[in-house]
Amino acid sequence: GQSLEQPSEVTAVEGAIVQINCTYQTSGFYGLSWYQQHDGGAPTFLSYNALDGLEETGRFSSFLSRSDSYGYLLLQELQMKDSASYFCAVSWGSQGNLIFGKGTKLSVKP
Amino acid sequence: DGGITQSPKYLFRKEGQNVTLSCEQNLNHDAMYWYRQDPGQGLRLIYYSQIVNDFQKGDIAEGYSVSREKKESFPLTVTSAQKNPTAFYLCASRVAGEAYEQYFGPGTRLTVT
């Protein structure tokens, strides 16, 4: 079956750096995506890794190691508005559907 | 402005009633999806459609039904057969060929008592 594991909660202070890990088990893997969701809101796409390595988008970076079935999202210079849930999602199969992890709730403290 | 709309934002129903959730997009996307989200849980796929007049069951389709008569619209009906219908329902769409990036609507929070 398909499964993704990520920590349920992470707490950090403003200005700090935080890393949210994601391990996955899936067949027909195409890539790993990250989404952000504020409480009561819609998920929004942050980044995508199809190949091994680091992708950087402003304060956010995402990393993938296909051989280790592992990825992470790195958030730098944390701001209060970064308090949200972060989901990793695997693209798999010919239909291109996404399987989501259960999410990591990030709390940024002053 | 292009985007996905879902209505209503909050919906209350009595047990035993069917209810239809609306999802409309003007992004000209071919693929559309319905997800269910429960507290502390990820998004679970209910149904998806890659093209008009065609749709497939996702992981938790029991007790739900959909239609895709127009490219822009993908309504979800929560039937009385769904044992635990109270949840946050999210509709999404994506561009063909970019499977990794889905665009989500604001969601409908359904409460059944």
Side-chain angles (χ1 to χ4, degrees):
Chain A
Q2 327 276 0
S3 69
L4 293 91
E5 295 288 334
Q6 54 181 128
S8 58
E9 292 183 29
V10 172
T11 301
V13 296
E14 242 181 326
I17 299 173
V18 72
Q19 178 174 314
I20 299 174
N21 299 320
C22 175
T23 57
Y24 60 87
Q25 288 186 331
T26 183
S27 56
F29 174 85
Y30 283 89
L32 188 69
S33 302
W34 289 92
Y35 285 77
Q36 178 192 62
Q37 184 183 32
H38 287 98
D39 279 349
T44 55
F45 171 79
L46 290 177
S47 68
Y48 175 68
N49 295 71
L51 303 174
D52 286 2
L54 192 68
E55 294 282 342
E56 298 181 66
T57 310
R59 294 187 296 115
F60 294 0
S61 304
S62 58
F63 171 83
L64 176 66
S65 168
R66 296 174 71 110
S67 60
D68 295 322
S69 297
Y70 163 75
Y72 65 72
L73 179 69
L74 191 74
L75 297 84
Q76 302 182 75
E77 301 171 19
L78 280 174
Q79 302 175 9
M80 298 297 290
K81 67 178 181 179
D82 297 329
S83 293
S85 291
Y86 293 84
F87 295 88
C88 57
V90 165
S91 306
W92 72 282
S94 60
Q95 303 276 10
N97 291 343
L98 294 178
I99 300 172
F100 286 84
K102 292 188 176 182
T104 299
K105 187 173 178 67
L106 171 64
S107 299
V108 180
K109 307 293 186 186
Chain B
D1 283 340
I4 301 180
T5 57
Q6 292 184 244
S7 60
K9 180 71 172 171
Y10 298 94
L11 194 52
F12 298 88
R13 281 293 184 271
K14 294 290 187 186
E15 243 181 67
Q17 294 179 334
N18 291 356
V19 60
T20 297
L21 311 186
S22 165
C23 176
E24 304 277 331
Q25 54 99 0
N26 60 3
L27 298 167
N28 200 33
H29 289 171
D30 287 307
M32 296 187 74
Y33 303 82
W34 274 105
Y35 293 93
R36 170 184 174 135
Q37 187 175 31
D38 295 286
Q41 299 293 313
L43 283 65
R44 292 186 289 168
L45 183 63
I46 304 173
Y47 267 97
Y48 63 100
S49 169
Q50 304 279 11
I51 197 168
V52 173
N53 292 322
D54 188 47
F55 48 83
Q56 285 79 40
K57 293 181 179 180
D59 301 318
I60 57 165
E62 186 175 345
Y64 300 97
S65 66
V66 293
S67 63
R68 186 86 187 276
E69 297 176 2
K70 298 186 299 182
K71 188 175 185 177
E72 302 79 18
S73 179
F74 192 40
L76 173 76
T77 297
V78 185
T79 76
S80 56
Q82 168 49 233
K83 291 183 171 46
N84 296 298
T86 295
F88 188 44
Y89 291 88
L90 287 156
C91 179
S93 69
R94 68 167 176 87
V95 176
E98 292 184 3
Y100 55 87
E101 183 174 2
Q102 294 185 8
Y103 295 77
F104 285 83
T108 292
R109 191 167 297 279
L110 174 65
T111 302
V112 177
T113 57

